Amino acid sequence: DIRGVIFDLDGVLTDTAEYHYLAWQQLADEEGIPFNRQANEPLRGVSRRASLMLILGDRQYSEPEIQEMMERKNHYYVELIQTISPKDLLPGAIALLDELRQAGIKIAIGSASKNARMVVEGLGIADKVDAIADGYSVERPKPAPDLFLYAANQLGLEPQQCVVFEDAAAGIEAALAAGMWTVGLGPPERVGASHIVLPNLAGVKWAELQAKLSDVSK
Ligand code: G6P
Ligand code: MG
């Protein structure tokens, strides 16, 4: 039986994936490194350092330079999320959070971002979640299962009692490695490894989803 839901944040409950992209684009432009939306695709859901490494490719930088660039990108990102408000919740998010709460399902956020708490506060959903696992919670980033295992533990649940909502391939991989149910949001090319693929949260009903998941497990 599924007793808990773990939501990735960026690209699932809100479109901060776009802000991450814009912040990386600014950094890449300043460094004269070619980068665009298409090049950003593999960065989706990937940790800050791993994202920078993908942008830098085989260009060589010292550790202090790497640190400085990560901080600079974060500075741009933090600026972009200052104005986040409940209006920035993606369609269907509040309805699903409320339905889950009504159904007695535990809710956690499982985001690799060190800024997750700030975003959750800005979105006004802090009182709708039971736990937050963020970029400070574990060492190994997704696709390692650690962050989702940490979130399940916070909820007092076993992995197989949890379903993860993710928009990133690395996140689906992490959730599967954790032994959890997965709902991928977005194109199958990106999230096709999940148990169920949906375009987004709009119109998603917990009752229907539960039925679908139990079909998959047969
Ligand atoms: C999430 C986002 C990634 C981001 C990572 C680290 O996984 O999807 O785009 O790189 O968090 O976020 P941070 O805010 O700590 O740099
Ligand atoms: Mg995401």
Side-chain angles (χ1 to χ4, degrees):
D1 250 29
I2 293 170
R3 303 267 320 279
V5 172
I6 305 171
F7 289 96
D8 174 50
L9 183 61
D10 299 324
V12 170
L13 294 178
T14 183
D15 200 12
T16 38
E18 175 69 12
Y19 296 150
H20 280 291
Y21 161 65
L22 292 172
W24 284 125
Q25 182 71 63
Q26 184 167 349
L27 179 89
D29 289 349
E30 287 166 357
E31 294 299 314
I33 297 171
F35 188 65
N36 55 33
R37 255 174 214 287
Q38 201 188 328
N40 180 65
E41 181 60 20
L43 274 60
R44 188 174 279 267
V46 168
S47 75
R48 196 184 304 177
R49 175 177 278 267
S51 295
L52 178 60
M53 291 308 146
L54 288 171
I55 291 171
L56 297 180
D58 47 22
R59 293 170 189 80
Q60 293 299 311
Y61 289 90
S62 69
E63 181 57 28
E65 286 171 327
I66 289 168
Q67 289 297 336
E68 185 279 322
M69 285 187 278
M70 290 199 297
E71 275 163 37
R72 194 167 4 133
K73 180 269 176 178
N74 191 54
H75 178 81
Y76 298 145
Y77 179 70
V78 168
E79 214 143 88
L80 288 167
I81 61 173
Q82 283 315 310
T83 57
I84 283 192
S85 76
K87 286 196 225 96
D88 294 295
L89 280 162
L90 286 169
I94 278 289
L96 183 57
L97 288 171
D98 288 343
E99 189 192 358
L100 290 168
R101 175 54 55 98
Q102 290 268 309
I105 302 290
K106 293 255 174 73
I107 301 170
I109 301 295
S111 168
S113 175
K114 293 192 165 153
N115 300 296
R117 227 161 253 280
M118 197 195 293
V119 172
V120 166
E121 300 281 342
L123 292 172
I125 55 168
D127 59 350
K128 295 188 186 283
V129 304
D130 301 296
I132 297 178
D134 65 12
Y136 295 102
S137 303
V138 298
E139 290 278 323
R140 289 195 304 166
K142 302 172 191 174
D146 306 30
L147 186 79
F148 290 134
L149 292 172
Y150 179 95
N153 192 51
Q154 293 286 104
L155 295 179
L157 298 177
E158 298 296 324
Q160 65 274 14
Q161 296 178 303
C162 298
V163 52
V164 171
F165 283 74
E166 258 289 352
D167 71 313
I172 297 292
E173 206 185 313
L176 291 172
M180 297 178 181
W181 298 100
T182 51
V183 177
L185 302 180
E189 307 86 81
R190 194 187 287 154
V191 294
S194 57
H195 294 98
I196 292 178
V197 176
L198 299 171
N200 50 55
L201 291 180
V204 172
K205 297 268 182 302
W206 174 240
E208 290 169 17
L209 203 67
Q210 223 178 355
K212 274 197 203 174
L213 282 167
S214 64
D215 277 349
V216 173
S217 62
K218 274 173 198 151

